[in-house]
Amino acid sequence: MKRIFSGIQPTGNVTLGNYLGAIKNWVALQNEASCDCIFCVVDQHAITVQKNIGALKRSTQETAACLISAGIDPVNSILFNQSQVEEHMKLAWVLGCLTRVGWLNRMIQFKDKANQDKDNASAGLWWYPVMMAADILAYKGTHVPVGDDQKQHIELARDIARSYNFAFGVEFFPLPQAQILSKSFRIMSLCDGKKKMSKSDSSDMSRINITDNADTIAHKIKKAKTDSYSLPSETGGLVGRAEAQNLITIYAALSNKSVEVALLEYGGCGFGRLKRDLAELAIEVIRPIRMEVHRLMSDIKYIDNVLKKGSARASALSKPIVKEVYDTIGFLST
Ligand code: ATP
Ligand code: MG
């Protein structure tokens, strides 16, 4: 049985990048009989960046609402928020003591998010990959469906699991595997095709949010950065054209086609036709999800209750695992 664990930060509006790169995959896995799925709104990770602190509670509820609206079934899967299960933090301390400083210094995402100003970034931002390893290992997670941007953090989680097993001469933690959809599911910013689409980007025009209405989606796609050439018929023609690559990738992902097939449709055309069709398609896919988010957010008690029940189920799974770690280490429990 595969034990799937994955998380999403309540750092703002859930984006089309999150949906295509991660959530859609979670929904598919949840419906596979061989998978036992745990999905977490990682609110403790969200405060690694100061600007997220104020709106955290609402953002946590809205992120959970987006997941349910996109198809996560909180009965079939476990859906909860990280801060309600103390095992993550308890395990993270232990794992942090087995992690080398050099490993964390190699994390690309820290460098990206610290914006070259490493001394002013929070220590939490630097250390969060350890907590992410604890999130997964507290459940002995075996498979982690994430976007391509998280690959390095899963490799780190494997190193940390290996390090624990070696230190104590046990085969306790499985080495979790990243489950990444094809690389082409990395969705980039609408303003800069070389930058990943992110919830936390300061410009709302850089992303499509699951909660955007039809006019906003159409406007953002219309304004999306392009270049002045027509679209190529083959993928080779996308080299060095990040924005063209991104728009055709989003179109392909939304229409469940390959980029190759999408290019056969649009090769030789200008961006106008692609943008028009892409806007229509994005609106069609997002509309029912947005409406459901809206409905769920008018019943906050329901969302809170889902997260409470999910947290109780997550605690029941992780408590014995973390207890065994504490006993192995020799922490005295009286
Ligand atoms: P933040 O900017 O706050 O880090 P984010 O948009 O990167 O937000 P996360 O909560 O960090 O979102 O990630 C949730 C999941 O979405 C992860 O599995 C991540 O790999 C995936 N993901 C995030 N952005 C993209 C993207 N642009 N394309 C594909 N997958 C993505
Ligand atoms: Mg991220």
Side-chain angles (χ1 to χ4, degrees), residues 6 12 28 37 49 72 93 95-96 100 103 110 121 123 147 156 176 186 199 223 237 254 279 290 302 305-306 313 328:
S6 201
C37 295
V49 175
I72 297 299
W93 177 256
L95 299 184
R100 310 275 171 270
W103 298 353
F110 174 70
L156 179 81
R186 181 167 204 171
K199 278 187 252 103
K223 294 282 171 195
L254 283 171
R290 177 175 64 89
Y302 167 77
N305 201 29
V306 162
R313 288 166 69 195
T328 302

Side-chain angles (χ1 to χ4, degrees), residues 95-146:
L95 299 184
C97 293
L98 292 160
T99 303
R100 310 275 171 270
V101 167
W103 298 353
L104 291 181
N105 284 343
R106 283 200 286 275
M107 295 299 116
I108 297 162
Q109 197 152 106
F110 174 70
K111 292 176 200 160
D112 284 352
K113 287 201 172 178
N115 278 333
Q116 316 303 333
D117 190 7
K118 286 197 224 161
D119 287 347
N120 273 322
S122 74
L125 184 66
W126 177 75
W127 198 72
Y128 111 83
V130 174
M131 180 82 171
M132 182 167 159
D135 298 336
I136 301 162
L137 297 175
Y139 303 91
K140 293 194 175 175
T142 58
H143 294 78
V144 191
V146 282

Side-chain angles (χ1 to χ4, degrees), residues 6-9 11 15 17-18 21-22 26 109 113 145-150 185-188 196-201:
S6 201
I8 181 164
Q9 302 190 69
T11 40
T15 70
N18 302 133
W26 298 2
Q109 197 152 106
K113 287 201 172 178
V146 282
D148 175 64
D149 61 305
Q150 290 294 330
F185 283 89
R186 181 167 204 171
I187 307 300
M188 309 309 276
K196 177 182 96 65
M197 183 182 284
S198 278
K199 278 187 252 103
S200 56
D201 193 297

Side-chain angles (χ1 to χ4, degrees), residues 171-190:
E171 282 302 318
F172 187 70
F173 287 124
L175 304 187
Q177 286 176 32
Q179 284 212 309
I180 297 174
L181 291 175
S182 120
K183 214 177 165 60
S184 62
F185 283 89
R186 181 167 204 171
I187 307 300
M188 309 309 276
S189 157
L190 297 181

Side-chain angles (χ1 to χ4, degrees), residues 86-98 127 134 138 164 168 172-173 318-334:
E86 62 188 25
E87 271 56 42
H88 295 232
M89 203 62 235
K90 283 177 76 171
L91 183 59
W93 177 256
V94 172
L95 299 184
C97 293
L98 292 160
W127 198 72
Y164 177 91
F168 296 100
F172 187 70
F173 287 124
S318 55
K319 262 194 178 22
I321 295 173
V322 176
K323 168 138 191 0
E324 198 171 331
V325 169
Y326 270 48
D327 288 346
T328 302
I329 288 174
F331 285 138
L332 180 65
S333 167
T334 52

